[in-house]
Amino acid sequence: EMYSYDHDLASFVAIGSATVSEDGSSITSDLGAGVIKAGWHCGGNPNTTGSAGHCKQCQKCQGASCVADPATERTACTAEPGKCGVCSGGNCRSQAPTLTVTRSSLTRTDATGAPLPGATPAYSYSAVVLSGSNTAQYTTADANATPNVGTLSAPANPAAGPSPGGLAELKVEFRCQAGETASKTFNAATFGLSCYILADEGDHLDATGACTSIRIGGTTFSGTTTDPAGLPAGNYCTAFLADVRLQGSGTTRNGTRIRWVSGSSPNWSFATIVNFTGADNRPLIPFGSCARDRAIVPRNTTVSAGPYVLEANDTGGAIIGYRLDVFGGTGRAACANFANQIALGVCAPGVATCPALAIP
């Protein structure tokens, strides 16, 4: 407290508060206080009577008054117990919490809640299985950052071979300082990936050019077949023709593309074709086409899954549920380095079983 000698009253009177510098070398009057008359001045002990001043949220103390605090303008406050508010002109005005969420990639969302700053933690994430297994998880590295980055991830494949994915409901929630919440939910799919090939006669020739053998369904196929029905005259590896029957199509050693038509050895028939096509009668593109379950991914749909962008134009007897069988090309080498992973996936256009990237 600062004091000044008032000659009219013939005594020292209080003239307001002051602040001592950090090093103790000076005393500076606070805003609204100070010398108002000539006379002796000094600093002394606080008054022995009086009480501490308390200003409401969104205000600050100025002298003996509470005034609007510009530093709090448009920031969060508590309008009433349990209700969000925002400071405006020195008052806490009620404002319901809001949340916007965008998904910029297979693995990322950005969330912004208001009013800010929020509670601690301000954001929380969760995932609920809707269908299938090996579904997406949803987390954040910093629950208080804004915008808040959410990370979508697929689990590791629990088996050596292909495993199915599923559909999950993901939720992000924002909590304001007062405790009210706003949330957003959306669905995300995961797919178990595998790779398939079409037969290549070169896979059934040894170093000398002789036909090798293959065992399929308990039957061994070996040697050559001469002039099979539907194909140009000549000798073909029987193992290759059995592989064509298994895979559906294939390429002969001279580059002719063929497909299986009907029957089995030795009464099978084939046909030559111009292009390899899937079950939807659309050309197959190496690592650009896939077989899928039409109940999950319908016709005329593009699926982005993991590192692949795939035209869903084929089917397969073992491809059921949340599985994608990626077409690798002809010959076993095409899929030699393929990883049977579980991957996040989106469809364009999106459907309920395989949502789009954009969050509705």
Side-chain angles (χ1 to χ4, degrees):
E1 190 80 21
M2 293 185 66
Y3 298 90
S4 175
Y5 187 79
D6 189 317
H7 291 276
D8 295 327
L9 299 176
S11 68
F12 281 93
V13 296
I15 58 173
S17 61
T19 301
V20 180
S21 65
E22 288 288 339
D23 62 4
S25 64
S26 64
I27 300 175
T28 304
S29 60
D30 294 333
L31 185 64
V35 176
I36 56 176
K37 287 184 178 181
W40 294 97
H41 313 287
C42 65
N45 294 324
N47 289 337
T48 57
T49 61
S51 61
H54 294 282
C55 293
K56 298 188 300 182
Q57 297 176 93
C58 313
Q59 297 179 352
K60 66 176 182 177
C61 182
Q62 182 172 296
S65 301
C66 289
V67 298
D69 185 356
T72 65
E73 192 72 9
R74 305 307 304 167
T75 63
C77 58
T78 300
E80 57 182 273
K83 295 293 182 181
C84 296
V86 65
C87 290
S88 176
N91 296 302
C92 185
R93 304 187 186 280
S94 179
Q95 178 177 305
T98 61
L99 177 66
T100 59
V101 184
T102 59
R103 187 178 180 186
S104 56
S105 70
L106 284 172
T107 60
R108 173 174 174 151
T109 63
D110 293 271
T112 301
L116 292 170
T120 301
Y123 298 88
S124 59
Y125 292 77
S126 61
V128 176
V129 177
L130 297 179
S131 178
S133 57
N134 301 311
T135 54
Q137 299 299 306
Y138 199 24
T139 58
T140 182
D142 184 348
N144 293 311
T146 296
N148 198 263
V149 177
T151 299
L152 293 80
S153 60
N157 186 353
S163 298
L167 187 68
E169 180 185 78
L170 307 184
K171 178 180 179 181
V172 54
E173 183 176 80
F174 169 76
R175 185 178 299 274
C176 74
Q177 282 187 359
E180 283 189 290
T181 62
S183 63
K184 183 69 176 178
T185 60
F186 63 98
N187 295 345
T190 52
F191 290 92
L193 302 185
S194 56
C195 183
Y196 77 100
I197 60 168
L198 299 180
D200 184 343
E201 192 167 18
D203 286 340
H204 302 281
L205 298 171
D206 65 17
T208 68
C211 294
T212 58
S213 63
I214 188 172
R215 189 171 179 82
I216 299 174
T219 301
T220 299
F221 299 87
S222 60
T224 60
T225 298
T226 303
D227 300 338
L231 297 184
N235 293 321
Y236 299 83
C237 289
T238 304
F240 163 65
L241 296 178
D243 203 11
V244 170
R245 187 183 187 283
L246 177 67
Q247 307 293 349
S249 301
T251 303
T252 68
R253 70 186 80 186
N254 64 10
T256 302
R257 294 176 177 176
I258 68 173
R259 66 178 178 87
W260 172 76
V261 175
S262 63
S264 58
S265 179
N267 300 312
W268 46 20
S269 64
F270 302 86
T272 60
I273 56 177
V274 175
N275 294 309
F276 294 127
T277 58
D280 293 4
N281 295 318
R282 299 171 70 101
L284 292 175
I285 305 165
F287 297 102
S289 296
C290 69
R292 84 298 190 194
D293 185 342
R294 287 197 185 113
I296 304 298
V297 180
R299 295 176 184 268
N300 302 314
T301 300
T302 298
V303 187
S304 295
Y308 306 104
V309 178
L310 306 165
E311 184 178 343
N313 57 8
D314 204 0
T315 60
I319 309 306
I320 300 171
Y322 284 87
R323 286 267 284 104
L324 297 176
D325 206 16
V326 180
F327 175 59
T330 57
R332 283 169 171 71
C335 289
N337 297 315
F338 191 87
N340 295 322
Q341 61 180 301
I342 307 292
L344 291 157
V346 295
C347 283
V351 292
T353 49
C354 182
L357 183 69
I359 296 175

